[in-house]
Amino acid sequence: MKRLGFLIVFLVIAIALSLYFLMQKELWTDEAKAPGIYYEALDDLSRGKTEAGIEKLVRLMRKYRSKTWHKRWSFISGYWSLELGKPGEARKHFRASYEENDPLFLHVLYFKAVSALRADERKEAEESLSLILQGDANNKFFEESFHLLMDSMLASGKLKEAREILKRYGNRVKKENPSSVLFKEASLLEREGKKEESTKIYKDIYCLYPLSPESETAGIRLRIKENSQGSWEEGDISLLLKRGQLLEKDGLYESALDNYRYIITIFPESKVDARLNLRMGLALYGQRRMQEALSYLQKAKKDQRVSSEAKYALARIDLNRGRIHSFLKAMKELSDREQGKETGASALFALAEYYDNHGDWRDALLLFKRYISLYPNGEKREKALWRTACLLYINNDHAESFSHFHRIIADKENPYLVPALYWAAKCQEKLKNYHEAAKLYSEAERKSAKSYYGIRARERLKSLPHIPTSSEKTNERSERTEEIDAAFLFALDAARELFAMDLDDMAFDQLLFACRKINGRKILPFIRSTEMLLEQGDREKAVELLKIGSSNSSFPSEIPDHLLRLLYPHDGSEEICQIARSFSLDCNLILSLIHQESSFNPSAISRAGAIGLMQLMPDTGEEIARRLGKMNHSTSMLFRKDYNVLLGCSHFARIWKHFDGSLELSLAAYNAGEANVEKWKRWISNREIDVFVDNIPIFETRNYIKRVISNYQIYRELYGN
């Protein structure tokens, strides 16, 4: 009997174990299918079948416990539940998602908090938001978490706690977004019953941050749209004028005029002084409404408090109308009478710039030197120092010119740093200090090898006696490494996880934030992020991100060739090259020109009305078409890629021939017209071509030549001949 009992127990255990192993085998076999079901769910979500997708993800979570997959399924189910307006379900999914050391932990905390807020579970939301704020202020959700936590506490009447959060974290957010923090402070004061203090802050937000989203809301609180004086007092006129001035600075002249009209509406005429006439005049001048501007400025001129500023603006109008004698006389008087003041500095610089732009370099040099002496910290000091150094070089005073360029080089943040390195080297070359010249040329090339000045520096290095060429130093440059912050690598992992869940837009935002905030001006994070986007097959986003990263002039030199080709494309250029060759033009040059003119957008239209790939003005297009015998020409045909390039190449080939194949002169003429180039040649006769380029009086043309030459060098290096 005992044996029979043991046998039965043994059989039961054996059957149980067999069933267990069979189930495990089935589970393992089934789980191999899980990724396929997961991607089916993602496909449903991407096609708008949200509920079907979430249902599949939930089934997967219930059946399988693989940690990596389970976290992803939980996160994406939570995200889409939130999108569907089901915050209760979203909370459950996010609770089962990523843990503290996972790359998406902060994302989970943030979305869990948002879900809890929408489900009216404020305590849970506030705990999650507080955890985010206790971390690094550079995290993607820091600012938004601060605002959500403040809003939640204000809504639930936790004023003391809100005050503590504002005190602890407000200054960190204020660095990036001051108006948003001020708005929270004003809202808190309002809830605390401190009406007068909150009103004062609302006024500051409305007037000092006119372009912020909070400005409009502050305006509503102050009853702006009712055209009511409300809480505005006579002492606030200066603040409202400041708002208009800031709008003018951003070129929003019509908004500035609306602001000034509002002042006239809410205050009696006796309270409004000449400052308003001045600002109205300047805003109208900004819109080129000269006659109307004159009437206001003439009124302002009579008031001693703003007389000098009004006279300065009136002198600028004289220059605009071609009344040169009146302009020069007024500016000379202002520069003497207002010496040491802002208007005096502006007048002195305006005089120097006028003479500089009209080839009277002796007077320009004296005035720029005077500006530097009188206003060592003036707003235009950097440009005055740069032009002084350039004009001294033109006068063949190479020693003094070098000393001025050296002052620019000493300031590592100076926008003229790389140009100054190049020209300081040229000064040393003229002084026959070849070793010093070589060091400065090498530094200019190292800092910006593919820029105009880097290219010029490399050319000059090759011409110096017994100096190693840049090609011999290439290995030294390539060995220079750039460190990547650990926080960026963590953010990169977060983006990789988001891509795995088909949350591509969120992943791109994560990469962009990480590149901008974590690693600042370094290019390597942009390179790593671009490569990740290419792995995902998103070429468009890769180009967008790389363009943002390469906006720093030195960056193209640091970008590897396989990525540089994204910014300087050659795909589909066979037709362009065929047309260029038919006019005996270098294909790479035409591609470089198109890159600068329209970024290869055949539908591009400039503010001046230039059209298509090579940005031809309608009148110019008509003239070229007539010369080529195109009798059926119409302006709309300029949007056609082949036709626009045909006319553009014909135009450029004629200019090229006219200027005997001079690249710089031809580019200057294509941008500014042949008549201007002939005039500038007379001013800068018998000078080196780089002297000509840097002394062209129109900034747009100078910049255009340098950018096209830089593009040309890059195209030749990438694609050869």
Side-chain angles (χ1 to χ4, degrees):
M1 210 52 194
K2 271 186 179 182
R3 287 181 182 178
L4 184 61
F6 279 123
L7 186 60
I8 291 168
V9 170
F10 176 77
L11 285 170
V12 168
I13 292 171
I15 291 167
L17 285 169
S18 299
L19 287 170
Y20 173 77
F21 284 118
L22 280 170
M23 286 173 69
Q24 287 300 309
K25 184 180 178 183
E26 183 188 349
L27 186 64
W28 182 85
T29 306
D30 242 11
E31 192 157 343
K33 299 174 184 176
I37 299 169
Y38 170 66
Y39 288 116
E40 281 179 30
L42 291 184
D43 190 52
D44 285 343
L45 293 170
S46 67
R47 292 169 183 270
K49 300 176 182 178
T50 313
E51 293 194 12
I54 290 176
E55 188 182 335
K56 284 178 183 172
L57 290 169
V58 171
R59 281 209 315 271
L60 285 168
M61 282 187 286
R62 285 174 182 163
K63 193 167 185 181
Y64 307 120
R65 298 294 174 201
S66 168
K67 197 172 182 182
T68 303
W69 285 103
H70 198 271
K71 286 189 288 189
R72 285 182 185 171
W73 298 335
S74 300
F75 184 89
I76 199 159
S77 298
Y79 174 80
W80 284 106
S81 295
L82 194 58
E83 288 287 298
L84 276 177
K86 297 178 178 178
E89 289 182 27
R91 282 170 63 219
K92 293 175 190 173
H93 294 312
F94 283 127
R95 280 176 187 160
S97 193
Y98 292 84
E99 297 161 3
E100 191 167 350
N101 293 324
D102 288 316
L104 290 186
F105 178 62
L106 287 175
H107 288 70
V108 171
L109 279 179
Y110 175 76
F111 285 117
K112 191 163 71 170
V114 172
S115 305
L117 284 172
R118 292 185 188 176
D120 207 27
E121 295 288 342
R122 294 191 181 278
K123 185 179 178 184
E124 183 183 327
E126 288 170 9
E127 285 173 0
S128 295
L129 294 169
S130 296
L131 278 172
I132 293 172
L133 291 177
Q134 287 166 24
D136 186 355
N138 274 334
N139 81 67
K140 186 176 185 294
F141 300 104
F142 190 89
E143 184 178 333
E144 188 59 29
S145 298
F146 168 80
H147 291 303
L148 286 175
L149 185 55
M150 285 292 295
D151 288 341
S152 176
M153 288 179 168
L154 288 171
S156 54
K158 298 178 181 176
L159 304 185
K160 187 177 177 182
E161 291 88 341
R163 175 64 64 188
E164 182 61 30
I165 293 296
L166 184 66
K167 182 180 176 182
R168 190 179 300 173
Y169 303 113
N171 283 336
R172 289 199 228 172
V173 179
K174 211 171 188 176
K175 289 177 185 175
E176 297 290 330
N177 195 351
S179 59
S180 67
V181 178
L182 285 171
F183 193 85
K184 289 292 182 289
E185 188 175 355
S187 302
L188 178 56
L189 287 166
E190 203 169 16
R191 294 295 302 275
E192 290 172 340
K194 299 174 182 177
K195 180 73 175 172
E196 192 175 324
E197 291 176 54
S198 68
T199 300
K200 184 180 182 303
I201 294 177
Y202 283 134
K203 287 177 181 177
D204 285 344
I205 295 168
Y206 181 71
C207 294
L208 301 180
Y209 304 96
L211 300 181
S212 69
E214 293 79 18
S215 179
E216 187 176 350
T217 313
I220 293 168
R221 300 282 176 94
L222 296 166
R223 298 165 60 194
I224 298 294
K225 289 186 177 177
E226 299 172 29
N227 277 339
S228 161
Q229 183 168 345
S231 57
W232 294 106
E233 300 169 357
E234 187 180 340
D236 295 322
I237 292 177
S238 296
L239 202 56
L240 284 164
L241 288 170
K242 180 68 176 175
R243 172 183 166 83
Q245 198 171 348
L246 290 169
L247 288 166
E248 286 177 51
K249 192 175 179 182
D250 282 294
L252 301 171
Y253 298 111
E254 193 56 44
S255 298
L257 287 168
D258 287 341
N259 181 73
Y260 300 140
R261 292 180 192 118
Y262 173 69
I263 297 173
I264 294 168
T265 303
I266 65 172
F267 289 107
E269 193 174 341
S270 59
K271 301 290 183 185
V272 179
D273 57 32
R275 290 175 299 168
L276 184 58
N277 286 324
L278 174 67
R279 299 259 49 104
M280 286 286 285
L282 291 173
L284 289 163
Y285 172 71
Q287 288 189 319
R288 296 295 181 262
R289 292 157 65 178
M290 299 302 177
Q291 201 57 44
E292 293 172 80
L294 276 170
S295 64
Y296 281 102
L297 292 169
Q298 291 290 0
K299 290 177 192 174
K301 182 181 169 183
K302 296 172 185 175
D303 190 301
Q304 194 61 35
R305 289 172 297 175
V306 294
S307 174
S308 59
E309 293 171 79
K311 287 177 181 176
Y312 177 83
L314 287 165
R316 300 294 306 190
I317 291 175
D318 281 338
L319 179 62
N320 189 269
R321 292 178 154 194
R323 298 172 61 185
I324 307 303
H325 179 73
S326 296
F327 164 78
L328 293 174
K329 182 182 177 185
M331 289 301 186
K332 283 173 184 173
E333 287 177 1
L334 283 170
S335 64
D336 291 337
R337 189 186 307 150
E338 300 294 319
Q339 186 173 310
K341 298 177 184 176
E342 188 178 338
T343 307
S346 297
L348 181 58
F349 190 85
L351 273 175
E353 198 167 43
Y354 173 81
Y355 288 125
D356 192 20
N357 289 343
H358 289 80
D360 190 345
W361 289 330
R362 186 181 64 84
D363 286 343
L365 178 57
L366 291 171
L367 290 167
F368 279 130
K369 279 186 170 182
R370 188 179 174 205
Y371 182 94
I372 295 167
S373 172
L374 292 174
Y375 307 102
N377 299 312
E379 186 183 349
K380 303 285 188 180
R381 176 188 173 276
E382 288 173 342
K383 186 173 181 182
L385 190 57
W386 163 252
R387 288 308 300 154
T388 300
C390 289
L391 294 174
L392 285 165
Y393 184 93
I394 287 174
N395 283 351
N396 295 318
D397 192 343
H398 300 121
E400 193 179 349
S401 176
F402 173 77
S403 72
H404 281 74
F405 283 126
H406 195 266
R407 286 169 67 182
I408 296 172
I409 295 166
D411 177 7
K412 299 303 179 188
E413 298 301 316
N414 195 301
Y416 296 100
L417 175 60
V418 174
L421 282 166
Y422 172 77
W423 283 106
K426 283 210 73 173
C427 289
Q428 291 289 13
E429 190 178 350
K430 293 287 184 184
L431 295 167
K432 301 192 185 310
N433 297 327
Y434 298 122
H435 184 70
E436 287 301 314
K439 282 183 3 187
L440 290 163
Y441 282 136
S442 297
E443 182 68 5
E445 188 197 5
R446 187 186 68 79
K447 283 188 174 295
S448 196
K450 288 185 168 67
S451 74
Y452 170 80
Y453 291 104
I455 295 162
R456 289 282 188 234
R458 187 156 58 253
E459 290 169 359
R460 297 306 308 159
L461 268 170
K462 289 176 182 176
S463 70
L464 291 177
H466 311 298
I467 300 297
T469 63
S470 60
S471 60
E472 293 168 15
K473 301 186 179 186
T474 303
N475 292 334
E476 179 189 331
R477 285 200 310 275
S478 62
E479 286 168 9
R480 186 167 60 90
T481 58
E482 186 181 290
E483 292 182 5
I484 278 199
D485 196 297
F488 174 77
L489 294 174
F490 200 68
L492 212 61
D493 289 339
R496 193 172 284 110
E497 278 291 286
L498 292 166
F499 277 126
M501 292 181 277
D502 268 13
L503 297 173
D504 293 0
D505 288 343
M506 198 187 300
F508 179 75
D509 289 344
Q510 174 73 22
L511 290 174
L512 185 56
F513 176 86
C515 288
R516 281 176 163 170
K517 298 291 182 184
I518 295 175
N519 277 72
R521 292 169 61 84
K522 295 179 183 175
I523 186 61
L524 191 52
F526 285 96
I527 291 172
R528 293 285 294 274
S529 299
T530 300
E531 286 171 339
M532 181 179 282
L533 286 163
L534 289 174
E535 286 170 16
Q536 299 300 320
D538 197 337
R539 183 186 173 93
E540 189 178 332
K541 290 284 189 190
V543 172
E544 183 183 341
L545 191 68
L546 200 57
K547 277 182 179 177
I548 294 168
S550 65
S551 57
N552 183 301
S553 62
S554 66
F555 280 179
S557 309
E558 304 171 55
I559 298 172
D561 286 355
H562 72 283
L563 294 182
L564 208 53
R565 287 188 177 92
L566 295 174
L567 299 178
Y568 296 87
H570 205 285
D571 301 344
S573 63
E574 293 81 5
E575 191 175 17
I576 294 173
C577 289
Q578 190 176 351
I579 295 169
R581 282 192 288 270
S582 71
F583 288 96
S584 302
L585 295 172
D586 184 346
C587 173
N588 284 325
L589 175 56
I590 297 303
L591 290 171
S592 305
L593 193 148
I594 291 172
H595 186 286
Q596 181 61 26
E597 289 284 358
S598 63
S599 296
F600 294 92
N601 177 11
S603 303
I605 304 176
S606 74
R607 282 180 295 180
I611 295 171
L613 287 181
M614 294 187 72
Q615 290 290 279
L616 298 170
M617 293 296 289
D619 290 348
T620 307
E622 190 175 337
E623 180 189 330
I624 302 165
R626 190 164 50 247
R627 197 163 57 240
L628 291 174
K630 303 286 182 183
M631 306 311 294
N632 62 338
H633 170 84
S634 68
T635 299
S636 63
M637 292 171 71
L638 293 175
F639 290 104
R640 277 174 34 195
K641 177 180 171 180
D642 56 342
Y643 190 73
N644 188 288
V645 173
L646 176 68
L647 268 58
C649 284
S650 172
H651 182 46
F652 190 77
R654 189 186 60 77
I655 292 171
W656 182 267
K657 185 178 180 182
H658 177 80
F659 289 106
D660 299 322
S662 166
L663 176 59
E664 291 82 0
L665 295 180
S666 299
L667 291 172
Y670 192 85
N671 179 263
E674 293 160 71
N676 274 327
V677 175
E678 292 295 352
K679 178 175 67 177
W680 300 333
K681 277 175 67 183
R682 288 194 295 274
W683 295 353
I684 320 172
S685 59
N686 302 318
R687 303 278 181 184
E688 301 131 300
I689 195 64
D690 50 3
V691 175
F692 175 86
V693 170
D694 263 322
N695 288 281
I696 290 172
I698 300 174
F699 168 78
E700 182 195 336
T701 304
R702 289 197 307 272
N703 193 49
Y704 178 83
I705 295 169
K706 293 170 187 177
R707 285 188 176 276
V708 174
I709 288 175
S710 175
N711 294 345
Y712 189 27
Q713 178 68 18
I714 292 169
Y715 267 103
R716 285 190 294 185
E717 288 180 5
L718 290 176
Y719 304 108
N721 294 320

